[in-house]
Structure formats: structure tokens, C-alpha cells
Amino acid sequence: MEKSNISYIRPKKHHNYVAFFLTLACDLRCSYCINLHGTGSRYIGAKNSHMTVKKWVESANRLNLRDDLPLTLQGGEPTLYKGFYEIVNEVKEEVKMDLLTNMFFDVDIFIKNTPVWRFTRDAPYAAIRASYHPGQNDINVLIGKSLKMQEAGFRVGLYGILVPDEEIKNHILEVQEMCLKMGIDFRTKEFLGVYNGKLYGTFKYENSVCGNQMGACECKPTELIVDPGGYVYGCHADLYNGRNPIAHILDENFNEKEIDKFRDCYFYGDCNPCDVKVKTNRFQIFGHTSVEIRNILELK
Ligand code: SF4
Ligand code: SF4
């Protein structure tokens, strides 16, 4: 029986992703980073500081998630959030988590303080997904840490971005081959965004990314994404810019119905590639986009 004093958030079948961005801080400095480490030109409007552990736990405990939908902890580097281990231990057991990380953390501390069951569920990909960023984190260190985590019972996957540079791309593919031989799940990700003045990615809506002109439109999300201050946004571009939060995760009246609304947006053209890219959903089915956009008007 549910306790009557908690108002639950129950993501529907078509809600594909639930993520808490615990912090946008990161200990790496990748040139292509989409959040610019929380100190750059983006996230300017984010007047909100980090939520307390107690509030994050309270927020996660509001979630009533399907078996196939975890709560993803991400950032920045989510393990830099000072209450990270309290969150993974104190949230109610029904909430399974995924982690997006650069694995710069101390694996011994992680293994000692993290229950394996929290990151264990049936899925076509690893719950703990670490990115390899050439020049930023060392692949041999990542391999050593991955093997140690695997021995401790965690399912870990490494990911390399196919940056449009032949040398880097070939390096990633070599590393992938080496990891697979060692029994480490290594997958590649398409590069999204601008590289040497050229835009990469397949986007559903024309001129939505790096458009020459801003437009007005109506936009509806399929994801529940929450910034370090606990604010809920309709898209990644809004979250990273700290603009137009649609609610706070602890607003009593906020629930899954609020996600399913078209809202006016005047930033069409400044969309984040993540939101408008034609991609694979959590069932590994291709063709999904994170947002649905309609009634696009160019602003003169
Ligand atoms: S590891 Fe991720 S969050 Fe950190 S700088 Fe690189 S891309 Fe950005
Ligand atoms: S139109 Fe683009 S910027 Fe506006 S809410 Fe949708 S995804 Fe975000």
C-alpha cells in the first residue's frame, strides 16, 4: 500500500528517460562537452544551487518507475556530488539506477559504498556506463577499473565517441576491439554537434540545432530531466541554460501528466542535439526523438 502523504510520479509507457543531473561539475575538460562544466556560458540562468541529499532522496522516493525504466544519475560527473553514496543507499529499494560517469572516481570507495543491486536490472546495455575521452581519461586506467567493478558484481560498459577525426576514430575502434577481447563491453556513440565548423548528427527538425534564426514553436518532452537544483525542464537545452523550468521535482502538484504538455518555446534553433536527434530508445529501437515539436514559426 502506498503511503497517502506522498504524491507519486508514475512515468508512462512513452516516457523514455528519467534523469537526475546531480551536479554539472566535472573533473575532466572535454572540448566537445555539451554542458561546459556548469561554469561556461550555458547554465547562466541557473540560479539554483545543489539540492540537499535529503531532498534528492525525497525526490527519488516520489518516483514509481516501471521495471524497464531506471533513474539515471548523471551530470557533469554525478559521483562528484558530495551526497552521492547516501543517495544510492537511502533511496527506496524499488528505484533501480543507472550511472553515466567518466569513472574518474576511486573504484574501491565506490565498491565499498554502493550496493550492487541498486545498479542491477535486465537491460540490453550496462547500468553503469563510462565514457572514454581520449586525452582526458586514460584507457588503461578505465580498463583496470572496469575489470575491478565487474569482479565486484557491477555491470559496466565503456563508450567511445566517434569524433569526426580519422585518427581519433581509428584509435577508438582499436580500443573497442581490445576491450571486447578482454570481456569488457565497449560501444561507440555517434558524434553530435559541430566539429571544425560542420554539424554532425541526424536531426528530425530542420534548423533546430545551430539554426541561423531563432524560431517559436510548441514543444513536448518525453523525458523527465531534473537539474542540480531540482528543477524539471522540457529539454536538455533548457536545462543546461537554466531557462524556463516547467516545475520543481518536489512540487506536490507535479506528476507525470505535466510532462505530456506542449509548451511555447522561443528558442527553436538553439535545440540541443540530444533532444532532436533521431536515436535509439531504451528498447534499442531506432527512430525515437526526445521531444515532439509542432507549429514552428521563424522569428523575424
Ligand atoms: S566527462 Fe562528460 S561531463 Fe565531463 S567534461 Fe567530458 S563530456 Fe563533459
Ligand atoms: S524547441 Fe528546442 S529549445 Fe525549445 S523546448 Fe523544444 S528542444 Fe528545447
Side-chain angles (χ1 to χ4, degrees):
M1 284 282 281
E2 291 177 356
K3 284 182 204 152
S4 55
N5 59 344
I6 296 180
S7 62
Y8 286 92
I9 302 166
R10 298 180 175 84
K12 298 180 199 162
K13 216 170 177 180
H14 60 275
H15 295 142
N16 280 298
Y17 194 63
V18 176
F20 287 178
F21 291 63
L22 297 182
T23 176
L24 293 185
C26 185
D27 29 22
L28 300 187
R29 287 289 177 272
C30 306
S31 58
Y32 44 76
C33 180
I34 53 171
N35 78 43
L36 302 186
H37 326 116
T39 55
S41 60
R42 294 177 187 175
Y43 208 59
I44 286 170
K47 334 94 194 158
N48 332 305
S49 55
H50 293 83
M51 270 216 299
T52 60
V53 174
K54 193 166 168 273
K55 286 188 173 172
W56 278 123
V57 172
E58 201 183 319
S59 306
N61 285 345
R62 288 193 68 193
L63 300 171
N64 208 328
L65 300 172
R66 307 183 307 265
D67 288 348
D68 63 354
L69 186 65
L71 164 60
T72 299
L73 302 181
Q74 67 173 93
E77 172 49 43
T79 60
L80 289 181
Y81 177 72
K82 60 180 169 35
F84 176 82
Y85 291 110
E86 284 160 272
I87 292 174
V88 297
N89 280 284
E90 290 174 18
V91 169
K92 64 183 180 181
E93 283 194 30
E94 305 92 280
V95 175
K96 289 294 171 69
M97 295 181 184
D98 276 14
L99 176 68
L100 302 188
T101 176
N102 59 32
M103 238 208 249
F104 222 59
F105 56 77
D106 182 321
V107 275
D108 294 318
I109 293 178
F110 186 95
I111 290 167
K112 189 164 164 247
N113 292 289
T114 308
V116 173
W117 56 261
R118 180 68 82 190
F119 293 94
T120 305
R121 65 188 181 91
D122 273 340
Y125 48 82
I128 298 177
R129 301 190 285 286
S131 300
Y132 167 45
H133 302 285
Q136 291 289 320
N137 48 4
D138 184 322
I139 189 60
N140 294 315
V141 173
L142 277 181
I143 288 172
K145 287 182 170 182
S146 301
L147 291 172
K148 208 167 186 180
M149 296 265 283
Q150 284 182 189
E151 273 166 33
F154 292 99
R155 186 172 166 201
V156 177
L158 297 184
Y159 285 77
I161 300 166
L162 294 174
V163 177
D165 172 299
E166 279 312 301
E167 208 176 310
I168 302 176
K169 209 186 274 182
N170 288 338
H171 169 68
I172 293 280
L173 294 173
E174 277 168 24
V175 164
Q176 179 179 38
E177 202 182 328
M178 179 174 81
C179 286
L180 293 177
K181 279 186 189 148
M182 296 171 87
I184 296 172
D185 181 4
F186 190 113
R187 305 187 194 191
T188 56
K189 284 200 285 195
E190 184 189 5
F191 178 84
L192 287 181
V194 178
Y195 196 84
N196 286 342
K198 192 176 163 204
L199 180 63
Y200 291 85
T202 311
F203 305 111
K204 186 163 171 189
Y205 305 98
E206 212 179 328
N207 298 323
S208 54
V209 179
C210 302
N212 293 328
Q213 235 174 342
M214 287 287 205
C217 67
E218 293 170 342
C219 189
K220 182 174 79 166
T222 58
E223 303 184 341
L224 171 56
I225 54 175
V226 185
D227 86 349
Y231 288 86
V232 179
Y233 292 85
C235 73
H236 285 76
D238 283 355
L239 185 148
Y240 290 132
N241 284 289
R243 69 189 178 207
N244 304 332
I246 61 176
H248 191 277
I249 188 72
L250 289 173
D251 288 346
E252 214 178 306
N253 295 334
F254 176 75
N255 62 31
E256 67 284 355
K257 292 189 194 105
E258 291 300 308
I259 303 172
D260 285 337
K261 287 184 180 165
F262 277 98
R263 292 179 173 84
D264 291 341
C265 171
Y266 298 94
F267 295 100
Y268 181 89
D270 187 36
C271 304
N272 189 294
C274 303
D275 293 311
V276 286
K277 151 117 177 56
V278 183
K279 62 185 173 187
T280 304
N281 68 6
R282 68 182 190 283
F283 303 114
Q284 304 293 81
I285 296 167
F286 189 71
H288 163 77
T289 48
S290 298
V291 298
E292 190 183 333
I293 298 176
R294 70 182 186 192
N295 297 335
I296 302 163
L297 288 173
E298 275 186 8
L299 294 179
K300 301 277 181 204

